[in-house]
Amino acid sequence: MNQITVSMTQYMKDHPRLKFIFFGGKGGVGKTVMAGAAALWAAKEGKKTLLASTNPVHSLSNLLEQDVFGKAATVCDEANCYAFEIDTKDTIERSKQEIREKINWFLKFADISTKADEFIESATMNPAFEESAMFENMTDLMLKDEYDFYVFDTAPTANARRLLGMSKVYSLWVEKMLKSRQEATSLRELLSFTKKKEKDPLMDYLLGFKDRMAKAQDLLTDDALTAFFFVTLPESLPIAVITRFINWFHEFGIPVGGVVVNGLIQKDQVGAETVEFVRNRVKMQEEHMAEIREIFGDRVRALIPLFETEVKGAKMLNRLVDRLFTA
Ligand SMILES: Nc1ncnc2c1ncn2[C@@H]1O[C@H](COP(=O)(O)OP(=O)(O)O)[C@@H](O)[C@H]1O
Ligand SMILES: [Mg+2]
């Protein structure tokens, strides 16, 4: 009954060049643990692997029972496996500083005598700024290209979509900025008597930024290199969330690797003598499994049991690897 057409292992075999994988889904469904297991698996396959988190919560350090905050440390005694939890605060501070310099330069360039602080405040005091800083962080890692395989433990649902939609929004925004910058520059050149070409750091920055965004988008939309996996529990809300998610991703042209169903109560451990509460849960899970099969069909890659404890530390993580990557 629980047939899987193309397993996680088979998907990996069918995509030998795969390099960037992501785990998405509702909060608490098991994204972080799946990301950890996938990274460990890839490292065992001989790939130099980075498990990275763009999540402000210290979830990787918690999973691995070691501090990987703001640094790349090896994981579970696996020489090939590194984990890195991105320091959000640090990133945001750096981005703010960068923006401050750009704005100050621009105000000077445009002969505007307003204090830069107001501009900086309005540019950086919104949630999207934090997300875009994280997005840049992620793309920086991808473009640096220091590893063979990257596993990203993505931020909770609502952000992840924006995070990805962002690369398109960014391109549009940068195009617009570039256009107005070009107009301003040529106007300035027209008006100036000397006609000498000035160096334009803002323009340079925008061009560099646009280039990075375009490259990141190329990587993110290449189904030989990238795959997004969606984790769900056999429950209605997480299913609804990833259904919506998968549709969005199709819109963005971002490759969907498949669905991992987590938290299944093992039926062989449930009998007539089992407490009613558990028997009801099993029944509920069965109904939702039927729904999962109907919606996702052969895109289901793995069925993961509910373990007797949480997934934490090397031993549990290795148990999860065996379940996520069955033969
Ligand atoms: N199959 C499982 N069996 C038992 N506990 C699990 C299982 N999958 C996840 N967990 C636990 O559930 C909690 C949430 O998992 P996590 O990966 O942090 O979710 P997310 O990253 O999606 O928010 C963690 O405490 C984790 O150890
Ligand atoms: Mg998490």
Side-chain angles (χ1 to χ4, degrees), residues 269-306:
Q269 293 176 17
V270 178
E273 72 291 349
T274 310
V275 289
E276 193 188 356
F277 169 79
V278 177
R279 278 187 284 123
N280 284 346
R281 301 286 303 181
V282 170
K283 194 160 161 281
M284 179 201 81
Q285 289 200 341
E286 269 176 358
E287 286 163 16
H288 288 302
M289 274 314 294
E291 191 187 345
I292 285 172
R293 230 165 248 112
E294 200 179 304
I295 304 174
F296 308 114
D298 58 9
R299 283 179 296 179
V300 176
R301 301 279 170 256
L303 303 169
I304 310 295
L306 178 66

Side-chain angles (χ1 to χ4, degrees), residues 23-35 55 59 62-63 153-154 156 231 233 261-264 304-312 316 320:
F23 287 90
K26 193 178 171 297
V29 295
K31 295 181 295 295
T32 300
V33 298
M34 298 307 162
N55 203 326
S59 48
N62 181 53
L63 169 74
D153 168 18
T154 52
V231 186
L233 303 173
V261 185
N262 188 22
L264 283 159
I304 310 295
L306 178 66
F307 293 111
E308 68 284 359
T309 64
E310 59 180 356
V311 180
K312 217 172 158 179
M316 283 308 287
L320 182 58

